[in-house]
Amino acid sequence: TRPRAELSAIVADNVFDPQFAGLVAFSAISEPLTSFTADRREFLGRNGAPDRAAGLLLRDLSGTTGHGIDPCAVLQCAIALEPGATHTIVVLLGAVQGEDAALELIRRYREPAAASAAITGALAKWSDRLSVIQVKTPLPDLDVMVNRWSLYQALACRMWGRSALYQSGGAYGFRDQLQDCMAFLHAEPAVAREHILRAAARQFEQGDVQHWWHPQSGRGVRTRFSDDLAWLPYVVEHYVRVTGDTGILDERVPFLHMRELEPHEHEVYDLPSISDESATLYEHCVRAIDRACTHGAHDLPLIGIGDWNDGMNRVGHEGRGESVWLAWFLADTLGRFAAIAQGRGDITAATRFEADARRYTAAVEQGGWDGEWYRRAYFDNGVPIGSKESDECVIDSIAQSWSVIAGTGDASRQKQAMASLSTHLVDDDARLMLLLKPPFDKTVNDPGYIKGYLPGVRENGAQYTHAALWVVVATARLGDGARATELLQMINPLTRTSDREGAERYKVEPYVIAADIYSMEQQRGRGGWTWYTGSASWFYRVALETILGFTRSGERLTINPCIPPEWDDFSIHYRYGDATYAITVLNPDHVARGVRSVAVDGRAVHDGAIHLVADGVTHNVEVILG
């Protein structure tokens, strides 16, 4: 640390960490300095704390900077205020490459007018991106989460900050931010495009990927997680279908080079090198699919050291365990990506993908059906999870919801599976949708670190919001708009904190999505792991796309909602380039779904599609359900 008194600032760097050696951190104020210190102990005092800092009682601070102290930045100034007067003070905190750049930022923003203009500009940019789509439904608390908070949470925290109270690592998760970026395709499609290519660049030559990595260095973990690979083609297909940007498939991206895992290794944290080999994004996706498509004793994909549920990291750690959920996910992904391959004239790959999708579906129906619901997985020793034969985790949510979402299996079994889910995993009194039941506790077969959570906490039998949102999707796909909306509102934090009793039970922020809600007796209804959760992006998408039916495909927009029949109407204002589409959806027959007619600017649209044009005009769209 060192002072720059002429700018009322302290700057600091860390030359010991090569990742951050070039960065210079700074703190500055707009007033002349009277004193300062970079010594945390001096300011807080021995055994002190921020709420009773000893430095607040000192007339002057010591001016200590340099090495060998516990560093901080404390800047003191003197202000005299006449009665009724106001005075604006600017406080800057930041970091940038090089001291010259840091000093330039201080000079640029330390004056109140400049700082105010910067804040106004940032607010305007947020207002712009959060107003691309605005909805108005009979549920104002749902509107608040869709119109601002869930998208803000997904972009500011998950995509950009990658840090919050419960997790402060700053790394990218391969599957995590890929899922998040699907929520930005209307408001910030460039963010999604950039991240898809960023994620593809974290794929090894053999087709597997870094489970997570630090962007500053590229260090991360190579693992045997089984679902990471499939998220790249899944998200790429969705991005291309929604935006129409097929050009992304031809973007060339390098691979990573690193030694492969030894047979006894489950994961390795290391710094890979950038390979001399590169390929198009399409080829990256094909390589990921080929690596992901494995088969075990039941012809189901191998679970590795975890699929979507990281906590099940010992179910298949010996290399024989299988995942029923992953079979559904792969069947869906393969079917979707086959269309991409077909469109590129890669008939061989398309045929292979379609055949593998059918094979996985047949394997689930043959080896995954338990009589009233689908099993979740098989241990290395062949013992099932999510079965009436199981001692714990008799039923698991995502194997049921994805049977519907994949849409490739037996329709009657899908309905039975969801009925079983509703009976065993949905607690209407507590307004919870449990991930699994009963939680893991004393089972002889060790599922992994999921048992490190108390029963009823996080993945171990709590409501895990990510999975709960998939329950909403599946319920809507089966046509029950009233129940789907009711379940979505169970997740909405504003409905859990609408009175004092609910707020005291929930305990966490009411304006962001929580990753989980506890089901254990002593803490039932308590939220956990807020802000840094992929549930925010899924909440946004499920509300907008599944319930309100907002479905864009290139320059073609359809509205196919699944809503409570008692809704009379709702509206969506969508800004497409410099055009605005004011969409009113009327429900005179009070149905859950089904579109009777669509009209744009008073003219009937016979194919039911709104053909989007960025023509600077406001277009009035009327959709009548029936």
Side-chain angles (χ1 to χ4, degrees):
T1 57
R2 52 196 177 277
R4 296 302 300 250
E6 76 280 9
L7 293 175
S8 298
I10 291 178
V11 298
D13 50 26
N14 178 5
V15 297
F16 299 102
D17 189 333
Q19 292 185 54
F20 304 105
L23 285 173
V24 174
F26 60 88
S27 181
I29 58 174
S30 55
E31 301 298 312
L33 281 183
T34 56
S35 67
F36 61 87
T37 186
D39 186 344
R40 189 187 308 269
R41 178 170 176 173
E42 174 193 346
F43 180 69
L44 295 181
R46 185 177 181 182
N47 301 322
D51 62 348
R52 54 182 187 279
L56 295 176
L57 303 178
L58 299 176
R59 180 177 180 84
D60 293 301
L61 301 168
S62 68
T64 299
T65 60
H67 302 289
I69 57 176
D70 183 9
C72 69
V74 181
L75 305 172
Q76 186 184 67
C77 63
I79 300 168
L81 282 180
E82 297 295 330
T86 62
H87 190 81
T88 300
I89 303 173
V90 175
V91 180
L92 300 178
L93 180 66
V96 70
Q97 288 287 335
E99 186 165 341
D100 289 344
L103 298 180
E104 172 58 28
L105 287 176
I106 293 170
R107 293 187 185 98
R108 186 188 308 173
Y109 292 115
R110 68 187 296 261
E111 294 302 323
S116 178
I119 292 171
T120 300
L123 291 174
K125 181 61 178 175
W126 273 110
S127 179
D128 182 64
R129 67 168 59 95
L130 295 178
S131 63
V132 170
I133 295 177
Q134 292 283 290
V135 308
K136 185 176 182 181
T137 75
L139 301 173
D141 42 22
L142 179 62
D143 300 347
V144 169
M145 294 306 297
V146 174
N147 291 339
R148 292 198 71 86
W149 281 107
S150 58
L151 190 62
Y152 174 81
Q153 179 181 352
L155 184 55
C157 183
R158 282 284 291 191
M159 184 58 67
W160 286 344
R162 301 188 304 281
S163 181
L165 174 65
Y166 295 87
Q167 183 171 343
S168 188
Y172 285 108
F174 192 87
R175 72 160 86 97
D176 302 321
Q177 276 76 22
L178 271 175
Q179 291 178 74
D180 295 329
C181 76
M182 291 191 288
F184 310 140
L185 298 189
H186 309 298
E188 291 276 1
V191 171
R193 192 182 205 275
E194 178 185 27
H195 184 71
I196 287 169
L197 297 174
R198 179 188 295 123
R202 309 317 297 178
Q203 182 182 34
F204 295 102
E205 296 154 321
Q206 294 79 11
D208 58 322
V209 301
Q210 284 184 309
H211 185 59
W212 55 259
W213 75 93
H214 292 289
Q216 294 85 2
S217 66
R219 287 187 180 274
V221 287
R222 188 172 195 173
T223 74
R224 299 188 189 278
F225 280 103
S226 56
D227 70 313
D228 275 340
L229 303 81
W231 284 107
L232 181 64
Y234 182 90
V235 173
V236 167
E237 185 279 333
H238 181 75
Y239 170 86
V240 170
R241 176 162 41 87
V242 172
T243 65
D245 176 16
T246 57
I248 194 175
L249 297 168
D250 294 311
E251 294 279 0
R252 294 199 70 83
V253 183
F255 291 96
L256 296 178
H257 177 76
M258 178 181 159
R259 70 170 181 85
E260 288 205 69
L261 299 178
E262 298 290 341
H264 66 279
E265 291 179 315
H266 296 161
E267 60 182 44
V268 169
Y269 175 73
D270 205 347
L271 176 61
S273 61
I274 306 300
S275 172
D276 293 333
E277 182 184 2
S278 67
T280 65
L281 178 63
Y282 173 76
E283 291 166 330
H284 275 265
C285 292
V286 172
R287 197 171 298 195
I289 289 172
D290 290 342
R291 178 83 176 211
C293 289
T294 58
H295 298 276
H298 299 86
D299 216 16
L300 297 165
L302 300 174
I303 193 172
I305 63 163
D307 51 13
W308 171 84
N309 194 329
D310 290 4
M312 293 186 177
N313 64 312
R314 293 184 62 80
V315 171
H317 69 110
E318 295 175 4
R320 299 185 302 277
E322 299 167 281
S323 170
V324 172
W325 169 79
L326 184 56
W328 286 132
F329 180 54
L330 283 172
D332 189 27
T333 301
L334 287 161
R336 291 171 181 270
F337 207 79
I340 296 284
Q342 188 85 28
R344 292 177 66 85
D346 192 350
I347 307 304
T348 300
T351 301
R352 183 171 80 252
F353 298 159
E354 290 169 347
D356 283 341
R358 291 191 297 270
R359 182 177 176 183
Y360 281 131
T361 299
V364 176
E365 298 294 8
Q366 179 66 32
W369 182 247
D370 200 61
E372 296 181 58
W373 57 81
Y374 288 100
R375 295 172 178 176
R376 174 63 174 83
Y378 285 92
F379 283 102
D380 285 310
N381 61 8
V383 172
I385 301 175
S387 167
K388 283 177 282 189
E389 302 173 25
S390 305
D391 50 358
E392 295 170 350
C393 186
V394 169
I395 181 172
D396 186 287
S397 170
I398 64 174
Q400 321 316 319
S401 59
W402 272 85
S403 72
V404 179
I405 295 170
T408 61
D410 185 306
S412 62
R413 283 183 173 181
Q414 293 170 19
K415 293 179 181 179
Q416 175 62 60
M418 289 301 295
S420 296
L421 184 156
S422 181
T423 298
H424 296 286
L425 297 178
V426 179
D427 183 339
D428 283 290
D429 292 335
R431 303 181 72 239
L432 294 172
M433 287 174 275
L434 309 183
L435 179 59
L436 55 87
K437 186 179 180 180
F440 292 105
D441 189 14
K442 300 176 181 178
T443 180
V444 174
N445 293 285
D446 181 9
Y449 82 75
I450 190 172
K451 285 181 65 178
Y453 298 118
L454 293 172
V457 174
R458 288 189 60 72
E459 291 102 321
N460 197 12
Q463 172 173 294
Y464 208 72
T465 310
H466 204 141
L469 285 159
W470 290 339
V471 174
V472 178
V473 174
T475 302
R477 293 272 179 93
L478 294 179
D480 193 343
R483 183 59 166 166
T485 305
E486 181 182 22
L487 295 175
L488 182 65
Q489 285 291 82
M490 285 186 186
I491 297 168
N492 187 338
L494 292 173
T495 69
R496 305 193 74 89
T497 55
S498 57
D499 57 37
R500 186 181 184 89
E501 181 182 357
E504 290 178 348
R505 182 187 310 112
Y506 191 56
K507 296 187 183 297
V508 294
E509 303 95 327
Y511 45 83
V512 291
I513 309 297
D516 59 286
I517 303 176
Y518 303 167
S519 65
M520 62 187 299
E521 184 64 34
Q522 303 92 322
Q523 302 286 348
R524 183 173 293 134
R526 177 173 180 167
W529 204 285
T530 55
W531 279 105
Y532 193 62
T533 166
S535 305
S537 59
W538 276 105
F539 185 97
Y540 180 80
R541 289 190 59 211
V542 170
L544 180 65
E545 299 170 17
T546 301
I547 301 300
L548 302 185
F550 186 95
T551 307
R552 182 183 151 199
S553 182
E555 297 176 348
R556 191 173 185 271
L557 175 67
T558 57
I559 307 294
N560 292 295
C562 187
I563 58 174
E566 64 268 20
W567 282 16
D568 294 321
D569 55 49
F570 67 88
S571 65
I572 304 174
H573 276 240
Y574 174 42
R575 193 172 69 247
Y576 179 74
D578 60 354
T580 299
Y581 287 81
I583 304 165
T584 301
V585 181
L586 303 175
N587 191 18
D589 296 336
H590 291 100
V591 298
R593 62 179 180 178
V595 175
R596 182 198 303 168
S597 65
V598 178
V600 179
D601 296 329
R603 294 186 296 273
V605 178
H606 298 294
D607 63 357
I610 304 158
H611 296 276
L612 301 169
V613 181
D615 57 4
V617 176
T618 295
H619 299 279
N620 294 301
V621 180
E622 184 179 79
V623 179
I624 300 179
L625 305 183

